[in-house]
Amino acid sequence: MDKTLTGRTALVTGSTSGIGLGIAQLFAEAGAKVMLNGFGKPEEIARARAEVGAAMGVAEAPYSAADLSKADAVKQMIAEAEAALGSVDILVNNAGIQFVAPIDEFPDARFEAIMAINFASNWYAIKAALPGMKARNWGRIINVASAHGLVASPNKSAYVSAKHAVVGLTKTVAIEVAQTPITCNAICPGFVRTPLAEAQLPALAKQYGVSEEVALKQHLLEHQPSKRWIEVDEVAQMALYLCGPGSGGVTGAALSIDGGWLAN
């Protein structure tokens, strides 16, 4: 693989599985030093650290267990990453959680957790990482939003609100740093094939009395014209492009990777 990120450092939140792990792995393969963050079973975290570490040529990638629902923990995570990596050249705000319910039945605690992890953590992480990027006169900020940062679905009021806020934050930061070699962009995926997403299929198939394949195409991917999963590597490749040569003019963008959802 072309080592386009050699000499760069990256912190990827929510990177012990799914999209975040895919991005971290690809960045490491492209030559970056990467710090992971996220929750999970100890053996899963150890496996992720080993996989990304192998791509970096070390026993295991550095890791932060920061609870992104807490502002102080987010700030400390950035400090830990700067200490472990020497800098944070690339910040990927990927961590997110979900809960589904009508707004009048939505638990307040769930709303507050979604807003804290899906949106506020991005704000605090950018605020903490940006001074170092300015001092080094280079940086890449990538916020993994969602197609739901651009359109809405019922029963997802907290998630949709948070992801719309992420897109707005992305645009604001991009304008603020527009005259520097720092960019800020959002990636807006549709339904991505991850273990958590695939785990929804059995219950969905049972609910509608159909096969899992029919449940996938007619119900889960109802708004995704391609009727196929977006693959983790497709999202990771988009993130890699945003950090590589020729990407400096792309900033403030909300880049859809949704199988045609937003075109429909």
Side-chain angles (χ1 to χ4, degrees), residues 14 21 32 103 109 131 133 139 149 162 188 194 199 217 226 228 244 258 261 263:
L21 179 56
I103 190 169
M133 292 180 180
C188 299
T194 65
K217 293 184 177 181
S226 64
R228 71 163 179 89
D258 60 15
W261 187 344

Side-chain angles (χ1 to χ4, degrees), residues 52-82:
V52 176
M56 293 165 54
V58 298
E60 59 182 17
Y63 164 74
S64 168
D67 179 353
L68 300 191
S69 68
K70 297 176 172 59
D72 287 346
V74 176
K75 298 172 189 177
Q76 181 62 31
M77 176 185 65
I78 298 297
E80 290 174 3
E82 290 175 337

Side-chain angles (χ1 to χ4, degrees), residues 121-139:
S121 69
N122 295 19
W123 192 92
Y124 286 113
I126 293 169
K127 181 181 180 183
L130 202 50
M133 292 180 180
K134 288 180 176 179
R136 292 184 299 276
N137 203 37
W138 194 89

Side-chain angles (χ1 to χ4, degrees), residues 84-108:
L85 302 174
S87 63
V88 176
D89 300 322
I90 300 165
L91 171 64
V92 181
N93 289 308
N94 168 74
I97 59 173
Q98 175 65 290
F99 185 80
V100 178
I103 190 169
D104 54 330
E105 300 173 12
F106 214 101
D108 290 353

Side-chain angles (χ1 to χ4, degrees), residues 161-223:
S161 296
K163 293 302 187 179
H164 271 68
V166 166
V167 171
L169 172 64
T170 299
K171 294 177 180 180
T172 302
V173 172
I175 292 170
E176 291 182 5
V177 299
Q179 295 186 39
T180 75
I182 301 168
T183 66
C184 184
N185 291 288
I187 296 177
C188 299
F191 285 98
V192 180
R193 189 201 302 269
T194 65
L196 285 175
E198 288 185 306
Q200 299 177 47
L201 288 178
L204 202 59
K206 183 177 180 181
Q207 177 184 346
Y208 289 99
V210 296
S211 68
E212 289 189 17
E213 182 179 359
V214 171
L216 173 67
K217 293 184 177 181
Q218 293 188 4
H219 298 286
L220 191 64
L221 303 183
E222 177 185 4
H223 300 296

Side-chain angles (χ1 to χ4, degrees), residues 12-27 34 36-37 52 92-96 142-147 159 163 187-197 229-240 257:
V12 185
T13 70
S15 51
T16 50
S17 65
I19 294 172
L21 179 56
I23 292 173
Q25 183 72 30
L26 187 62
F27 280 13
V34 184
L36 306 182
N37 155 265
V52 176
V92 181
N93 289 308
N94 168 74
I142 299 172
N143 300 318
V144 179
S146 167
Y159 187 83
K163 293 302 187 179
I187 296 177
C188 299
F191 285 98
V192 180
R193 189 201 302 269
T194 65
L196 285 175
W229 293 107
I230 303 302
E231 301 296 342
V232 166
D233 187 63
E234 293 177 293
V235 182
Q237 290 287 349
M238 181 176 282
L240 180 62
I257 178 166

Side-chain angles (χ1 to χ4, degrees), residues 139-153:
R140 294 290 182 266
I141 300 166
I142 299 172
N143 300 318
V144 179
S146 167
H148 280 118
L150 302 169
V151 295
S153 291

